[in-house]
Amino acid sequence: MTSVLDLAPVVPVVVVDDPSDAVPLARALVAGGLRAIEVTLRTPAALDAIRAVADAVPDAVVGAGTVLTPAQVTRSVEAGARFLVSPGWTDALLDAMRASGVPYLPGVSTASEVVALLERGVRELKFFPAEAAGGTAYLRSLYGPLPQVRFCPTGGIGPGSAPEYLALPNVACVGGSWMLPADAVAARDWGRVETLAREAAGLGRSPAQV
């Protein structure tokens, strides 16, 4: 598969409370041009949602976010997750993600963490929490000494700030949830979600093909 970072300029960060919403929500995102979908493990419905999307929406590339433990790595992959995202990392978590056989994005917020992951051969990373950790200015500063690293910044990014991130040479995509407003999801207004997803997909380069 093409790198997850190259599938679309924006990776939707999805929190699912009702598993029955997962499939129509994913279909709306894919129809709008956002194929990589990060379902966070923040709710009891998350694994069921990943399983449902993996089974019913073949054009989606569904992944698990907020992965914190090796056990969550195993359960996520068993549910059908095609990539893994963590807000941070430990040696144990990194080893489990590496052994899973699917792409993974460990989270970093400092230069030292980036260098430590480079020593382990990891060059595609999540930058989190993006706005709180220094935003575009920090990422721009990292590019000089660490040009080989590619980031997916997530945390506090919206449609207004996303283009500034995407203009950076070391940013491949951004993560966000603005195309999933709570009122639209509550109303199951999947047409609105699709429209917002299409606008988000238009913020950067054309989606890559798998």
Side-chain angles (χ1 to χ4, degrees), residues 48 53 89 153 168 189 204 209:
D48 286 338
V53 173
W89 64 279
L168 297 175
D189 186 351
Q209 299 297 314

Side-chain angles (χ1 to χ4, degrees), residues 26-171:
R27 286 176 174 155
L29 292 173
V30 171
L34 302 182
R35 299 178 57 212
I37 301 171
E38 176 189 337
V39 177
T40 69
L41 302 183
R42 300 180 194 173
T43 69
L47 291 175
D48 286 338
I50 291 170
R51 188 174 293 108
V53 173
D55 290 342
V57 192
D59 289 335
V61 179
V62 63
T66 320
V67 177
L68 303 177
T69 68
Q72 288 181 328
V73 169
T74 300
R75 290 196 293 269
S76 298
V77 174
E78 288 175 348
R82 295 174 61 184
F83 65 94
L84 306 167
V85 184
S86 66
W89 64 279
T90 65
D91 287 331
L93 181 58
L94 188 68
D95 288 345
M97 290 193 294
R98 189 191 302 273
S100 72
V102 302
Y104 54 94
L105 298 173
V108 299
S109 59
T110 69
S112 294
E113 291 173 305
V114 176
V115 172
L117 287 170
L118 280 175
E119 287 183 352
R120 293 159 172 80
V122 184
R123 298 189 177 193
E124 295 189 343
L125 311 174
K126 173 177 179 172
F127 179 61
F128 177 83
E131 286 288 280
T136 55
Y138 192 88
L139 286 168
R140 190 178 294 110
S141 296
L142 287 181
Y143 181 70
L146 300 165
Q148 67 273 53
V149 181
R150 304 172 74 215
F151 293 98
C152 175
T154 305
I157 299 174
S161 58
E164 186 178 356
Y165 280 92
L166 292 168
L168 297 175
N170 54 348
V171 170

Side-chain angles (χ1 to χ4, degrees), residues 188-208:
R188 294 178 169 82
D189 186 351
W190 309 127
R192 183 180 171 199
V193 170
E194 180 180 338
T195 296
L196 292 171
R198 185 170 292 109
E199 293 171 358
L203 292 176
R205 50 207 156 275
S206 298

